[in-house]
Amino acid sequence: MAITVDETSIALHDAVPAPYAIDVRAVTKRYATRTGAVQALAGVDVTVAAGEVVALVGPSGCGKSTLLRIIAGLEQPDAGEVRLFGLSPAQARREHRFGIAFQAAALLEWRDAAANVALPLELAGWPPARRTQRVAELLARMGLSDAASRLPRQLSGGMQQRVALARALALAPPVLLLDEPFSALDELTREQLQGELLDLLATIEPAPAVLLVTHNLAEAVLLADRVVVLSRRPAQVLAEVPIDLPRPRRAELRDDEHLHRLVAEVRTVLRSDG
């Protein structure tokens, strides 16, 4: 079943033509600490085209998640500029131009799975009948129809992340921001959700632009069209590695020799950063 964008989202998508879904230019970020200022990002440039999947990798603590939070408008850069389809992060948030999912599912404990997915629809003012239909569609697509009335504590970690992804997709945003969404899961569950995400992205029309933060190189190569490699802090872009694996892409590709060569290429770039 294809997940289609409703007419409101299409209108928003067409309203502001722009060359990139995500356009990060010369972004710099510093933090004040008790021992002095720490620079997290130093002039980072990243672009993501409409419908493209870009993975952001780098050493632990290099500023990957900080950059994603800046793109989402949750933090402000000290210098540089971020645009999503030509809009500032604040404007993009008001116009429901992006969805976001984090490492922790961050579900509201007092709301069941269906009500968690429905939250952005409620905030956007969707009428109840339309919300119910959309939530049922998303839960079915994520294999969660039988779990609609369960509270978060009654769901496994993998099921919680499915709910979080469904919530991020509720308003059919043209941009999807994923901050290590599978890193807290066991390996088998992680691999299963990687495959489900590949299947999901192949059915959304039009396909969203996706920026994925991950420390797992195989995951980055499996999911992305391009891998952006960040340096140690303060982070700069070391390289961009194009991923020429075919789409539609299947999880079975994780055993492909060419995928392993691409992972090795990304690893070599990381190791070159003294």
Side-chain angles (χ1 to χ4, degrees), residues 258-269:
H258 185 47
L259 181 143
H260 294 163
R261 286 194 293 270
L262 290 166
V263 170
E265 183 178 346
V266 175
R267 184 176 292 112
T268 297
V269 174

Side-chain angles (χ1 to χ4, degrees), residues 13-121:
H13 187 80
D14 293 340
V16 187
Y20 293 111
I22 302 172
D23 194 355
V24 175
R25 298 292 178 182
V27 164
T28 295
K29 179 67 177 179
R30 300 179 185 86
Y31 292 104
T33 70
R34 287 180 295 179
T35 57
V38 172
Q39 187 166 1
L41 304 170
V44 173
D45 296 328
V46 176
T47 59
V48 184
E52 184 182 26
V53 181
V54 171
L56 201 62
V57 304
S60 232
C62 74
K64 302 183 295 294
S65 292
T66 295
L67 180 58
L68 186 137
R69 290 176 62 84
I70 288 172
I71 294 169
L74 301 175
E75 296 189 31
Q76 298 302 312
D78 294 306
E81 185 178 51
V82 174
R83 287 289 182 266
L84 293 93
F85 288 103
L87 303 175
S88 70
Q91 292 172 315
R93 183 172 59 251
R94 287 193 297 270
E95 296 190 11
H96 314 300
R97 303 282 282 185
F98 65 86
I100 187 166
F102 298 100
Q103 176 179 344
L107 303 178
L108 298 179
E109 291 295 329
W110 60 92
R111 296 177 70 117
D112 62 24
N116 267 286
V117 174
L119 182 59
L121 304 174

Side-chain angles (χ1 to χ4, degrees), residues 5 58 71 79 113 155 169 198:
V5 180
I71 294 169
L155 302 173
L169 291 165
L198 284 172

Side-chain angles (χ1 to χ4, degrees), residues 56-266:
L56 201 62
V57 304
S60 232
C62 74
K64 302 183 295 294
S65 292
T66 295
L67 180 58
L68 186 137
R69 290 176 62 84
I70 288 172
I71 294 169
L74 301 175
E75 296 189 31
Q76 298 302 312
D78 294 306
E81 185 178 51
V82 174
R83 287 289 182 266
L84 293 93
F85 288 103
L87 303 175
S88 70
Q91 292 172 315
R93 183 172 59 251
R94 287 193 297 270
E95 296 190 11
H96 314 300
R97 303 282 282 185
F98 65 86
I100 187 166
F102 298 100
Q103 176 179 344
L107 303 178
L108 298 179
E109 291 295 329
W110 60 92
R111 296 177 70 117
D112 62 24
N116 267 286
V117 174
L119 182 59
L121 304 174
E122 292 176 22
L123 296 176
W126 283 37
R130 191 176 174 211
R131 286 201 308 264
T132 299
Q133 180 180 3
R134 178 64 173 163
V135 169
E137 173 192 351
L138 287 163
L139 290 177
R141 185 61 186 83
M142 302 302 291
L144 291 169
S145 295
D146 292 341
S149 61
R150 296 187 199 174
L151 294 171
R153 65 175 179 272
Q154 298 170 315
L155 302 173
S156 67
M159 294 171 76
Q160 289 183 30
Q161 284 303 97
R162 289 187 183 93
V163 174
L165 281 171
R167 182 178 59 189
L169 291 165
L171 290 166
V175 173
L176 186 60
L177 305 175
L178 302 177
D179 189 4
E180 302 200 44
F182 309 139
S183 63
L185 304 174
D186 65 82
E187 191 65 23
L188 288 177
T189 303
R190 180 180 192 133
E191 290 184 358
Q192 180 181 358
L193 287 185
Q194 289 168 355
E196 290 178 6
L197 181 59
L198 284 172
D199 292 343
L200 182 67
L201 294 177
T203 64
I204 299 176
E205 301 170 359
V210 180
L211 183 61
L212 167 71
V213 169
T214 180
H215 64 265
N216 186 299
L217 302 187
E219 177 173 272
V221 171
L222 176 66
L223 297 177
D225 301 304
R226 185 161 44 95
V227 177
V228 176
V229 185
L230 295 184
S231 69
R232 299 180 188 277
R233 195 169 61 194
Q236 297 177 303
V237 175
L238 286 175
E240 296 188 2
V241 180
I243 306 301
D244 57 353
L245 297 171
R247 289 196 187 274
R249 202 170 290 173
R250 295 290 178 259
E252 291 75 15
L253 272 174
R254 65 170 52 91
D255 298 319
D256 185 84
E257 289 185 9
H258 185 47
L259 181 143
H260 294 163
R261 286 194 293 270
L262 290 166
V263 170
E265 183 178 346
V266 175

